[in-house]
DNA sequence: CTGAAAGCGCTTACAG
DNA sequence: CTGAAAGCGCTTACAG
């Protein structure tokens, strides 16, 4: 279906504009515009004729012109603190949001915002106001940066946040029920017969860490297992913290038969420390994590954990974002899933 | 330094335009434009006056208008196959490119291109041609997708590639010397006293895998260590492949005292398999990897590996990209660095 | 259901 | 060193 025309230079052939399409289809540019934007007031015949010409000329609307004229672009911003860090949680959010963007004809523009930055308002201004972003997605820990949110709201940009702490008016939130998820994992360990269950808590500044802690407490309380201070360590979500916490737990006189870490990084740290004490997993010790990080199914043994439905969360978030204003929307809490793998089993004494 | 003016509504205050600045500074918009774009033909006095007004009005040029008028945007595209996959190599490239973008006043737009996609040309057309990207960065395996590169070149967009296979005219390449790096690691192991050195080769379709293999071969040849087929396994860069290869190597009657895996994922697989055979690291077995993945310094023991200077590569790539055309540029090969950590030591018999 | 015209906020020859 | 004007390629009231 190529259209060689006359031997135009192969370098940068001038792309077709809306005028070219209009002329060839014998309609006004207004009509072409309507077709592009899927507006209703075009007869089916006209629409298909225009569409044919669009194909023929392989016309693509100039996003810059579109944005300039309409004062809104087809670009969505993803703001992160440090995309490469962590166990890929942010990377997976990005991937999922990107998928939605491509599906809906948007582009993803990634920006790095340092929470410690003094003039975030400035940065946001330069970024958003002048690019007319259709919306922005905030990931932790940016989800809970009041200056950022205020600056964004001042520009009128729709906002969606992943796993925020506290609700903020006019901002869409997506999350899972962290308390319930932690409860489910703990309950599962109890169901296997464990009674001595260590817990590695995340940093208490994080709402999710607090919620997971609460879920753990609730589950053991329900099973009449006494809460023991020494069974509950705290770590900052890193591998190293998990290793240290693991050492403390595993050197206890009455060491736990199972350890539930608040994220996979810490769980893998526990697993590493268990090697030091010659414990076999899962026969001597069960370990469970949280996140279903990329490496969780690539460890030995593979890690029992909890998966957030990131793709679904991204989809919900994205749709809420671009249809912002259509209807008020409450916090979106999506279902999590416990993934049982080889790192957990019945306790040795059971 | 706030300027309340009259009580304008807090929601979406109309941003200042180039006209507002020109008027207030008593110059034409042309002059303002020159100041913004750092063009020379403005007197220092005028420039500073304009700059002051820009601050005062917190004026930021509208990127959309700028792009439309100049036919080039301040957006750089990062094309990936699957950003979230792998051991964070792509994520780190993204982070580094992003840092450069923010430093130079560009924005980063991430796109996912599936190498298997039939009409890449179409996608590129819609993407690049209509957004007037200032340039695009290609990451493996997209670095070696002829259709993509041709489509991109047809739009006249400058291209820079990370770790490509073969050179292509008018395309900027950044890489390290993989052969030399693998040679260095092998040499280091030999220097520790190892003579039985297993090697886990990456997939031979990858140029870097071939180069690393060559480096290994060269180093052992130089040390008069015979090349043994059974000491050389092949894996597809995944943890699992490393584990399987590790099993083969560790069950050999004359098993290696050191194993060098072509990437960190496979190295961690080897470490996992060594647990099965009750080998202590590094006393019984040394393991080295390649990449310095995020988890490499968070394993137990921490992994000896080779680090690519991704930040430097990104900087070189980015600058070459935005100054494209100024001068022809050859492939950029940056220095790697061997990171010695706890996973390697003298062989047990030494 | 469709047209003609103004305007979005810049850059860029062209003059001076 | 600076101005006035055209134009980038769209969208959007306003008419019809």
């Amino acid at each position: 279906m190529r259209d060689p025309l006359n031997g135009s230079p192969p370098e940068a052939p001038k792309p077709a504009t809306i005028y070219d399409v209009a002329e060839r289809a014998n309609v006004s540019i207004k009509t072409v515009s309507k077709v592009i934007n899927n507006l209703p007031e075009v007869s089916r015949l006209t629409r298909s004729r225009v569409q044919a010409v669009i194909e023929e000329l392989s016309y693509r609307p100039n996003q810059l012109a579109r944005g300039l004229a309409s004062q809104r672009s087809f670009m969505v911003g993803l703001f992160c603190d440090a995309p490469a860090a962590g166990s890929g949680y942010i990377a997976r959010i990005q991937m999922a949001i990107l998928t939605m963007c491509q599906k809906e004809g948007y582009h993803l523009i990634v920006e790095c915002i340092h929470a410690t930055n003094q003039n975030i308002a400035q940065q946001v201004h330069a970024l958003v106001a002048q690019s007319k972003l259709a919306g922005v997605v905030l990931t932790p820990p940016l989800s809970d940066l009041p200056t950022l949110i205020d600056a964004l709201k001042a520009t009128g940009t729709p906002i969606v946040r992943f796993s925020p702490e506290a609700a903020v008016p006019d901002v869409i939130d997506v999350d899972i029920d962290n308390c319930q998820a932690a409860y489910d994992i703990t309950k599962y360990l109890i169901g296997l017969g464990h009674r001595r269950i260590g817990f590695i808590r995340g940093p208490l500044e994080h709402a999710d860490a607090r919620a997971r802690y609460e879920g753990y407490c609730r589950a053991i309380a329900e099973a009449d297992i006494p809460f023991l201070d020494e069974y509950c360590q705290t770590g900052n979500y890193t591998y190293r913290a998990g290793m240290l916490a693991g050492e403390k737990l595993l050197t206890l006189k009455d060491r736990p038969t199972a350890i539930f870490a608040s994220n996979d990084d810490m769980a893998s740290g526990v697993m590493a420390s268990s090697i030091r004490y010659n414990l076999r997993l899962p026969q001597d010790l069960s370990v469970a994590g949280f996140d279903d990080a990329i490496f969780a199914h690539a460890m030995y043994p593979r890690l029992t954990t909890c998966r957030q439905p990131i793709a679904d969360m991204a989809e919900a978030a994205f749709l809420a974002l671009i249809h912002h204003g259509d209807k008020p929307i409450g916090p979106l809490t999506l279902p999590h899933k416990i993934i049982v793998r080889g790192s957990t089993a019945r306790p040795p004494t059971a």
Side-chain angles (χ1 to χ4, degrees), chain A residues 154-196:
Chain A
T155 66
T157 313
I159 306 170
V160 61
R161 305 184 299 168
F162 273 80
S163 309
E165 307 255 340
V168 163
D170 301 320
V171 172
I172 304 156
D173 295 337
V174 286
D175 207 346
I176 58 164
D177 185 338
N178 281 288
C179 178
Q180 181 67 41
Y183 173 90
D184 291 347
I185 289 190
T186 312
K187 189 94 180 176
Y188 158 73
L189 292 171
I190 293 169
L192 286 175
H194 293 279
R195 302 284 297 174
R196 302 203 306 274

Side-chain angles (χ1 to χ4, degrees), chain A residues 1-4 55-56:
Chain A
M1 278 317 196
R2 292 284 183 73
D3 191 353
E55 283 309 313
E56 188 184 353

Side-chain angles (χ1 to χ4, degrees), chain A residues 280-344:
Chain A
R280 293 161 308 157
L281 269 55
Q283 303 93 313
D284 302 329
L285 177 72
S286 285
V287 174
F290 202 106
D291 274 351
D292 196 25
I294 348 173
F295 57 79
H297 69 275
M299 317 180 64
Y300 180 74
R302 308 198 303 156
L303 189 62
T304 292
T305 187
C306 170
R307 179 188 296 160
Q308 302 196 27
I310 293 191
D312 296 339
M313 291 164 83
E315 180 172 348
F318 188 86
L319 294 177
L321 199 60
I322 63 178
H323 297 135
H324 186 255
D326 293 8
K327 45 179 182 276
I329 201 156
L332 303 163
T333 303
L334 301 207
H336 58 270
K337 189 176 174 191
I338 307 300
I339 313 281
V340 175
R341 298 207 183 93
S343 68
T344 46

Side-chain angles (χ1 to χ4, degrees), chain A residues 193-212:
Chain A
H194 293 279
R195 302 284 297 174
R196 302 203 306 274
I197 302 173
F199 181 69
I200 307 179
R201 201 163 58 175
L204 289 183
E205 312 88 76
H206 288 50
D208 52 46
R210 292 195 302 269
R212 289 170 198 175

Side-chain angles (χ1 to χ4, degrees), chain A residues 107-285:
Chain A
H107 294 299
L108 213 223
I109 187 158
V110 179
E111 297 283 347
C112 210
I113 309 243
H114 297 295
T116 55
N117 190 339
Q118 285 307 303
N119 43 358
I120 286 186
Q122 284 277 354
Q123 201 180 343
V124 167
H125 183 60
L127 228 70
V128 184
Q130 299 306 324
S131 294
K132 312 292 175 195
L133 296 185
V136 336
V137 176
L138 262 33
T139 55
L142 264 30
S143 300
D144 296 289
L145 205 58
T147 22
L148 213 203
I149 295 174
D150 291 345
L152 242 20
K153 284 175 91 168
T155 66
T157 313
I159 306 170
V160 61
R161 305 184 299 168
F162 273 80
S163 309
E165 307 255 340
V168 163
D170 301 320
V171 172
I172 304 156
D173 295 337
V174 286
D175 207 346
I176 58 164
D177 185 338
N178 281 288
C179 178
Q180 181 67 41
Y183 173 90
D184 291 347
I185 289 190
T186 312
K187 189 94 180 176
Y188 158 73
L189 292 171
I190 293 169
L192 286 175
H194 293 279
R195 302 284 297 174
R196 302 203 306 274
I197 302 173
F199 181 69
I200 307 179
R201 201 163 58 175
L204 289 183
E205 312 88 76
H206 288 50
D208 52 46
R210 292 195 302 269
R212 289 170 198 175
Y213 175 49
E214 191 189 329
Y216 162 77
C217 293
R218 195 191 292 173
I220 60 169
E222 218 174 67
D224 287 326
I225 297 173
F227 176 88
L228 295 178
D229 262 335
E230 66 263 36
Y231 275 15
C232 180
Q233 301 293 327
T234 304
N236 64 349
Y237 277 161
T238 63
Y239 172 95
R240 179 150 297 276
M243 207 162 75
L244 295 175
E247 259 161 49
K248 283 194 190 148
L249 291 172
L250 297 178
T251 48
L252 252 29
K253 61 244 86 169
D254 232 18
R255 71 154 186 262
T257 57
I259 296 178
F260 169 26
S262 291
N263 76 345
D264 288 351
D265 289 87
M266 295 200 294
S268 69
V270 171
M271 284 175 61
S273 78
S274 74
I275 295 173
R276 291 204 173 165
Y277 299 105
N278 281 315
L279 298 173
R280 293 161 308 157
L281 269 55
Q283 303 93 313
D284 302 329
L285 177 72

Side-chain angles (χ1 to χ4, degrees), chain A residues 41 51 78 163 189 331:
Chain A
E41 312 136 337
Q51 219 112 40
L78 176 68
S163 309
L189 292 171

